[in-house]
């Protein structure tokens, strides 16, 4: 078996896409529509949050960061995939694959930490409403946002350095439509057990810590709701926390299925479906979830749309 260092490989080839012309063009049209809808939804939400004074609060500051991440996530992978479907050029250079991998893991990591910060924000809003403006200050929001982005980038730097210093054998065919950890690790002919353990340990510690903070925040929220037992408290809590809780369940469900498992259990066909759910549908659904469940966001979006119509 030919042993090749990854840095000398001219390019990799994505084989996660169908070669049948009729399916290929259908997939191109479908993914293009989903991508355009995702960009439109998140960009509109970003414009509404930045321009509408009613949405200048910590909750919507974090939501704006989430929308930015949901813009970046499909933009990292989908344009290349659309080019492969339309032009049938499925190759990607070493540097392009490395950059795509680093960017994607950075966005995933940042979103995990951001959703945790949003859970803390919801905890303070429900359990300490009178102290909320002083506790969740503009300064704290800026620090939390900067911390989530920095943690996501450092986490991605570690993962990318572990994966892209391996040796690989034979054809560089990635069983996926983008450069991700499981399909790249599957190409290696050297032992990946040690690096997999480090990746799983780091991801496990960071992911479980974020998950614990989120779960504990919602336990306190639930206990606070039960202790008050006042009329309309459940409806108010759902309007305050429902959107975030839905997004958290959607995000963690698809992320755990994609990353939290050893490479020997990697199944290309199953993983493509899960990756589609995470990489395309989650960023599309997040702005819809927040728009449908939040009256302030609905009103702000109407004002943005009306301003665009009047400008046109």
């Amino acid at each position: 078996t030919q042993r090749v260092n990854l840095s000398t490989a001219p390019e990799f080839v994505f084989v996660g896409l169908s070669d049948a012309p009729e399916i290929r063009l259908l997939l191109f049209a479908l993914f293009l529509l989903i991508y355009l809808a995702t960009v439109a939804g998140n960009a509109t939400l970003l414009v509404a949050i930045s321009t509408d004074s009613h949405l200048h609060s910590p909750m919507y500051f974090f939501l704006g960061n989430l929308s930015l991440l949901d813009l970046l996530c499909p933009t990292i992978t989908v344009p290349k995939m659309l080019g492969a479907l339309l032009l049938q050029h499925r190759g990607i250079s070493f540097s392009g694959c490395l950059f795509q991998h680093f960017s994607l893991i950075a966005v995933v990591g940042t979103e995990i930490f951001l959703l945790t910060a949003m859970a803390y924000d919801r905890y303070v809003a429900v359990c300490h409403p009178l102290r909320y403006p002083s506790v969740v200050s503009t300064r704290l929001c800026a620090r939390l946002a900067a911390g989530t982005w920095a943690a996501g980038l450092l986490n991605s730097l570690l993962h990318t350095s572990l994966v892209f210093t391996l040796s690989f054998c034979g054809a560089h065919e990635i069983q996926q439509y983008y450069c991700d950890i499981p399909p790249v690790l599957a190409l290696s002919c050297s032992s990946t057990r040690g690096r997999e353990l480090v990746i799983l340990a780091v991801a496990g510690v960071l992911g479980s810590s974020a998950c614990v903070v989120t779960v504990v925040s919602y336990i306190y929220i639930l206990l606070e709701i039960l202790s008050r037992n006042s009329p309309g408290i459940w409806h108010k809590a759902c309007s305050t926390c429902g959107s975030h809780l839905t997004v958290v369940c959607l995000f963690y469900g698809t992320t755990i299925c994609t990353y939290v498992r050893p490479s020997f259990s990697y199944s290309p066909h199953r993983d493509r479906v899960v990756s589609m759910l995470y990489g395309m549908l989650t960023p599309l659904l997040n702005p819809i979830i927040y728009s449908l469940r939040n009256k302030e966001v609905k009103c702000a979006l109407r004002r943005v749309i009306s301003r665009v119509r009047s400008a046109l």
Side-chain angles (χ1 to χ4, degrees):
T1 308
Q2 187 186 7
R3 190 178 177 88
V4 184
N5 188 284
L6 196 60
S7 59
T8 61
E11 70 172 16
F12 303 101
V13 179
F14 297 123
V15 294
L17 303 170
S18 175
D19 292 322
E22 63 280 3
I23 299 177
R24 183 169 52 81
L25 294 175
L26 180 64
L27 288 175
F28 173 82
L30 177 63
F31 294 151
L32 178 61
L33 286 173
I34 293 174
Y35 177 63
L36 292 176
T38 303
V39 170
N42 285 289
T44 305
L45 200 53
L46 268 173
V47 170
I49 291 168
S50 59
T51 60
D52 197 304
S53 59
H54 297 87
L55 302 183
H56 290 175
S57 68
M59 174 183 172
Y60 298 110
F61 170 76
F62 291 126
L63 181 55
N65 277 266
L66 182 64
S67 293
L68 180 58
L69 290 168
D70 285 337
L71 267 176
L72 291 174
C73 184
T75 302
I76 292 165
T77 58
V78 175
K80 181 68 180 176
M81 180 187 68
L82 292 175
L85 285 168
L86 187 64
L87 305 174
Q88 298 189 52
H89 178 68
R90 300 177 298 173
I92 185 171
S93 65
F94 165 74
S95 57
C97 189
L98 187 149
F99 178 75
Q100 192 181 71
H101 180 278
F102 174 81
S103 303
L104 185 66
I105 301 302
V107 167
V108 172
T110 303
E111 191 158 340
I112 289 173
F113 301 130
L114 181 66
L115 289 172
T116 307
M118 293 174 78
Y120 172 73
D121 171 70
R122 295 299 82 204
Y123 154 73
V124 179
V126 173
C127 298
H128 305 284
L130 298 178
R131 295 174 54 206
Y132 180 73
S134 59
V135 174
V136 189
S137 61
T138 304
R139 191 174 181 180
L140 179 64
C141 289
R143 285 179 175 178
L144 286 173
T148 59
W149 285 87
L153 290 170
L154 289 173
N155 176 61
S156 181
L157 185 63
L158 173 63
H159 283 68
T160 304
S161 63
L162 287 170
V163 172
F164 279 77
T165 51
L166 288 165
S167 295
F168 292 76
C169 299
H172 298 89
E173 294 183 342
I174 297 176
Q175 297 286 334
Q176 187 52 277
Y177 65 91
Y178 61 89
C179 294
D180 199 9
I181 292 175
V184 174
L185 279 177
L187 295 177
S188 178
C189 56
S190 55
S191 175
T192 61
R193 185 177 296 275
R195 301 189 189 213
E196 278 188 68
L197 288 174
V198 175
I199 290 170
L200 286 172
V202 172
V205 169
L206 294 177
S208 59
S209 301
C211 190
V212 165
V213 172
T214 304
V215 170
V216 169
S217 297
Y218 275 100
I219 289 173
Y220 275 109
I221 289 170
L222 180 61
L223 292 174
E224 180 69 18
I225 293 167
L226 293 173
S227 66
R228 288 187 196 176
N229 198 25
S230 58
I233 188 69
W234 283 103
H235 177 73
K236 186 177 180 182
C238 284
S239 65
T240 304
C241 307
S243 299
H244 176 257
L245 192 57
T246 305
V247 168
V248 165
C249 293
L250 185 65
F251 178 83
Y252 274 103
T254 52
T255 305
I256 287 169
C257 289
T258 304
Y259 296 110
V260 186
R261 52 188 173 69
S263 63
F264 66 77
S265 65
Y266 174 66
S267 169
H269 299 292
R270 183 191 63 199
D271 282 48
R272 286 171 205 163
V273 176
V274 176
S275 298
M276 294 284 182
L277 289 173
Y278 170 73
M280 298 190 70
L281 291 184
T282 304
L284 171 66
L285 292 175
N286 285 352
I288 296 172
I289 291 167
Y290 271 97
S291 300
L292 290 176
R293 298 185 62 89
N294 194 302
K295 290 181 180 178
E296 288 180 321
V297 173
K298 283 181 185 176
C299 294
L301 289 175
R302 288 194 194 102
R303 286 191 286 270
V304 169
I305 293 167
S306 65
R307 285 200 298 268
V308 171
R309 282 179 177 174
S310 60
L312 292 174

